[in-house]
Amino acid sequence: MIVDCAIYRHGQRAEGPEDLSDALAEARAAGGFVWIGLYEPSEREFDLVTQEFELHPLAVEDALKAHQRPKLEVYDDSLFMVLKPVVYEPESDAVSAGEVMVFVGENFVVTVRHGEGSPLAALRHRLEEEPEMLDKGPTSVLYAIADATVDHYLEVATELQTDLDELEAEVFQPELGGSRNTASRIYTFKRQVLEFRRATGPLALPLTRLAGSGPLGTAVPFVHDKARPFFRDVNDHLARVNESVEALDRLVSDILSAHLAQMSVRQNDDMRKISAWAAMAAVPTMIAGIYGMNFDHMPELHWVWSYPTVILVMVALEVLLHRLFKRRGWL
């Protein structure tokens, strides 16, 4: 469905005509651009946009099906970029990603949103309060979307770092480190970091191209040359995010290894305690077993002090073994 459609002349909003062809012609005549926003459009709804703005069929297919990696494609009549805004849900400590597809042409911007967490609604209102920025043309919209998306990445990275600090404290807290669901929580957190990385990692190359700092420093069509420093700034912020994601991933792996090592050490301690108690139980069992064989010719069998002597021997051996195991830390 079409969420919003407007023409921007000299940074000022003007409601566009219902006919998209008329809106594009009016924007070209006025030296402005038309910005159309769509939310999870159907193929039928998108056909009209495709025909009027002559969008490439491969990009249209990606925009309709979604589930794309962040990327940048350059076609003859337009630029196509995919971004994945990320939403952090503090109640469930979960990270979910939506998708924003942006078509940029000479006099138009078409944004397609899938899922939640998109910054487009608030972004459009904020840009309309900054007409000097909108006056830069469609490039300003592309920059604002990329900047808002990456800035939110920084917030999500901070939230994940806080959760990881709490998880780390739980693992290394003696009374909580061995809880049964700790390993499950660590693995779930690692999956959240992986979901975050899928959104941030692939975006580095498109932003590098938009900043004109690739291997050949080639300028990207439909992007104003003066916008390069701004995209370079966004790329710097993304680099910080990716470094944070790498650090989170390494740390959560280390925490999982430490937790498994703790569990292994604790199991070894339990096995030593069990073995020590089993050894202590084996001594009286052996003595009682010998004197329970009921043979006629056994030493001390008919001696008056045999029973108390055997009991004292058992107690003495038990005390000796207990002190020995205690000194070695087995009990």
Side-chain angles (χ1 to χ4, degrees):
M1 58 177 292
I2 296 180
V3 178
D4 200 351
C5 176
I7 297 173
Y8 295 91
R9 307 185 189 94
H10 306 294
Q12 300 294 332
R13 178 186 175 111
E15 296 300 328
E18 294 184 1
D19 186 88
L20 297 181
S21 180
D22 293 341
L24 181 59
E26 186 175 334
R28 287 173 175 168
F33 68 95
V34 59
W35 180 0
I36 299 175
L38 300 100
Y39 176 69
E40 296 185 357
S42 65
E43 185 174 352
R44 182 177 179 181
E45 291 172 334
F46 206 58
D47 279 344
L48 181 60
V49 178
T50 302
Q51 295 171 5
E52 294 298 337
F53 295 100
E54 300 180 354
L55 304 180
H56 196 280
L58 292 178
V60 171
E61 181 181 358
D62 290 344
L64 289 173
K65 291 185 176 180
H67 304 294
Q68 305 295 321
R69 298 174 73 250
K71 63 179 180 178
L72 177 68
E73 299 288 349
V74 179
Y75 299 104
D76 294 336
D77 300 316
S78 63
L79 183 73
F80 177 65
M81 187 171 184
V82 179
L83 302 99
K84 295 180 76 69
V86 170
V87 176
Y88 176 78
E89 300 171 1
E91 294 81 8
S92 57
D93 294 337
V95 172
S96 58
E99 288 186 51
V100 173
M101 286 79 167
V102 186
F103 294 87
V104 177
E106 193 68 36
N107 298 98
F108 69 86
V109 177
V110 178
T111 54
V112 182
R113 177 166 63 93
H114 291 269
E116 301 301 326
S118 169
L120 294 183
L123 179 65
R124 186 188 284 259
H125 293 302
R126 181 170 64 82
L127 283 176
E128 289 174 356
E129 295 177 356
E130 301 177 13
E132 66 281 358
M133 184 172 182
L134 275 176
D135 193 32
K136 305 301 181 184
T139 303
S140 63
V141 177
L142 180 62
Y143 160 72
I145 294 174
D147 185 54
T149 301
V150 173
D151 283 348
H152 192 61
Y153 286 165
L154 291 169
E155 298 175 10
V156 173
T158 302
E159 294 287 348
L160 287 175
Q161 183 63 58
T162 301
D163 285 348
L164 185 58
D165 291 340
E166 295 175 358
L167 190 58
E168 184 179 17
E170 177 182 331
V171 168
F172 291 101
Q173 194 170 351
E175 61 271 18
L176 298 177
S179 58
R180 295 183 177 181
N181 64 341
T182 301
S184 176
R185 286 191 59 199
I186 296 173
Y187 183 73
T188 301
F189 187 88
K190 190 171 181 65
R191 288 186 61 87
Q192 304 305 322
V193 174
L194 179 60
E195 182 71 18
F196 193 24
R197 172 183 276 179
R198 287 172 179 167
T200 64
L203 187 58
L205 182 57
L207 286 179
T208 300
R209 292 180 62 190
L210 289 172
S213 53
L216 301 177
T218 307
V220 177
F222 309 106
V223 175
H224 201 282
D225 290 340
K226 293 184 178 180
R228 288 190 184 188
F230 295 94
F231 284 110
R232 194 174 303 125
D233 181 66
V234 177
N235 199 20
D236 289 341
H237 291 176
L238 181 65
R240 287 173 50 196
V241 172
N242 284 328
E243 289 173 0
S244 298
V245 173
E246 290 290 339
L248 286 171
D249 188 52
R250 288 196 302 268
L251 187 55
V252 74
S253 297
D254 293 342
I255 290 175
L256 180 59
S257 299
H259 173 68
L260 295 177
Q262 280 185 330
M263 296 298 294
S264 178
V265 169
R266 188 164 302 169
Q267 289 176 352
N268 289 337
D269 290 340
D270 293 340
M271 288 303 299
R272 283 189 298 185
K273 292 178 180 179
I274 294 172
S275 300
W277 285 111
M280 293 173 62
V283 172
T285 301
M286 180 188 67
I287 296 175
I290 292 174
Y291 281 92
M293 290 188 293
N294 297 323
F295 290 126
D296 289 334
H297 303 287
M298 292 182 65
E300 298 90 21
L301 189 61
H302 300 288
W303 185 32
V304 177
W305 299 100
S306 295
Y307 178 74
T309 302
V310 170
I311 295 299
L312 287 174
V313 169
M314 288 183 180
V315 172
L317 289 175
E318 290 297 302
V319 171
L320 178 63
L321 288 174
H322 186 275
R323 292 185 63 183
L324 178 63
F325 291 143
K326 193 75 173 178
R327 183 180 302 174
R328 294 188 176 182
W330 286 32
L331 291 175

